[in-house]
């Protein structure tokens, strides 16, 4: 197998949870990880990517383990530049590992996987009319989430639980809240959630739990076969 994969992230994204899904089909030395902001200091990020007044923002995790609001337009501009560089390096698949509302990226040669475009219809086809409950890490993402899932047959319910700073009890409580509202499928839609969070919820609440980063990693893996 000579296929190559480039994983592109905006900020800091731990990839150790998804790498085993990919290395079933491709050697780890054939995978490259490029982060737009993940190796920059907070000061450098804010100097180059701060949003102007009224400009739409994205929320991303920096290497000081704290969130930052950055300009969506500036991030999209520079992500496209990185995609073009990776495309010219002949990667077979470029995976944008982000749940942010990023759009308009184009690759001429590589297969470009954009979770924002793929995950909502994929989840919609899986749940097939069931009531979805989405667990969101911070309240600032709630409006983005409502826009993201509007194509689902039934409007989802939402609850908050933070995968980094929250506790297991808080995560279970969020799941219970959603089930109480009628949800029978839960979605963990943040790259900070991992398989241990999904396993915890499924064991505690006995409901199916979908994990966005696993869905997109499995899709990428299928393209590398």
């Amino acid at each position: 197998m000579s296929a190559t994969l480039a994983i592109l992230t905006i900020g800091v994204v731990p990839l150790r949870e998804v790498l085993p899904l990919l290395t079933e089909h491709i050697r780890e030395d054939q995978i490259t990880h490029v982060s737009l902001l993940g190796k920059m200091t907070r000061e450098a990020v804010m100097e180059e990517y701060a949003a102007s007044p009224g400009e739409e923002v994205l929320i991303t995790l920096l290497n000081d383990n704290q969130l930052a609001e950055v300009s969506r337009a500036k991030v999209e501009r520079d992500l496209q530049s990185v995609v073009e560089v990776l495309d010219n390096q002949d990667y077979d698949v470029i995976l944008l590992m982000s749940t942010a509302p990023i759009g308009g990226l184009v690759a001429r040669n590589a297969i470009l996987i954009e979770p924002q475009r793929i995950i909502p219809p994929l989840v919609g086809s899986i749940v097939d009319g069931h009531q979805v409950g989405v667990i969101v890490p911070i309240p600032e993402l709630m409006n983005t989430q409502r826009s993201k899932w509007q194509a689902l047959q039934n409007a989802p319910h939402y609850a908050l639980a933070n995968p980094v700073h929250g506790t297991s009890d808080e995560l279970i409580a969020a799941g219970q809240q959603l089930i109480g509202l009628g949800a029978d499928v839960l979605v963990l839609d943040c790259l900070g959630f991992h398989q241990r969070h999904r396993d915890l919820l499924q064991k505690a609440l006995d409901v199916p739990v979908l994990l966005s980063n696993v869905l997109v990693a499995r899709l990428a893996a299928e393209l590398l076969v």
Side-chain angles (χ1 to χ4, degrees):
M1 166 59 73
S2 59
T4 51
L5 166 70
I7 300 175
L8 176 57
T9 63
I10 298 173
V12 173
V13 176
L15 298 179
R16 62 185 180 276
E17 299 275 348
V18 298
L19 276 178
L21 303 175
L22 299 168
T23 52
E24 292 177 7
H25 305 283
I26 183 174
R27 298 194 314 271
E28 190 167 344
D29 63 2
Q30 294 170 283
I31 300 173
T32 297
H33 175 210
V34 178
S35 177
L36 182 65
L37 310 179
K39 294 184 179 180
M40 298 173 64
T41 65
R42 174 171 291 271
E43 292 73 21
V45 168
M46 300 318 297
E47 182 176 345
E48 294 188 36
Y49 292 94
S52 302
E55 190 176 8
E56 190 171 353
V57 300
L58 297 176
I59 299 174
T60 191
L61 185 69
L62 301 184
N63 62 17
D64 60 3
N65 205 35
Q66 299 297 319
L67 296 172
E69 291 189 349
V70 294
S71 162
R72 174 178 171 177
K74 292 173 183 175
V75 167
E76 287 182 339
R77 175 200 66 199
D78 289 356
L79 282 177
Q80 178 59 42
S81 297
V82 176
V83 167
E84 291 172 4
V85 170
L86 295 172
D87 206 17
N88 289 331
Q89 293 175 350
D90 296 326
Y91 283 95
D92 297 290
V93 177
I94 301 172
L95 169 58
L96 176 63
M97 205 69 174
S98 171
T99 54
I102 297 293
L105 301 182
V106 177
R108 296 187 308 276
N109 304 307
I111 298 173
L112 175 62
I113 301 177
E114 300 172 275
Q116 178 71 9
R117 186 166 54 87
I118 293 171
I119 291 298
L122 178 59
V123 169
S125 67
I126 293 171
V127 302
D128 192 25
H130 286 267
Q131 180 60 57
V132 172
V134 181
I135 297 182
V136 183
I138 55 174
E140 290 84 353
L141 294 178
M142 203 64 81
N143 288 337
T144 299
Q145 286 287 322
R146 291 193 176 98
S147 172
K148 178 176 186 174
W149 299 105
Q150 60 186 350
L152 289 181
Q153 183 175 336
N154 300 319
H157 300 302
Y158 300 92
L160 291 169
N162 192 291
V164 178
H165 304 294
T167 66
S168 296
D169 288 343
E170 289 169 346
L171 180 60
I172 292 172
Q176 290 172 329
Q177 176 187 340
L178 293 170
I179 292 172
L181 293 171
D184 55 2
V185 178
L186 302 181
V187 176
L188 298 175
D189 191 38
C190 167
L191 297 182
F193 287 118
H194 299 302
Q195 300 207 55
R196 65 181 181 277
H197 298 111
R198 182 188 65 182
D199 294 345
L200 174 69
L201 283 177
Q202 288 186 162
K203 182 177 181 180
L205 304 178
D206 194 27
V207 294
V209 180
L210 301 177
L211 191 57
S212 288
N213 56 6
V214 169
L215 291 174
V216 75
R218 289 195 184 281
L219 177 59
E222 291 299 320
L223 295 171
L224 295 168
V225 174

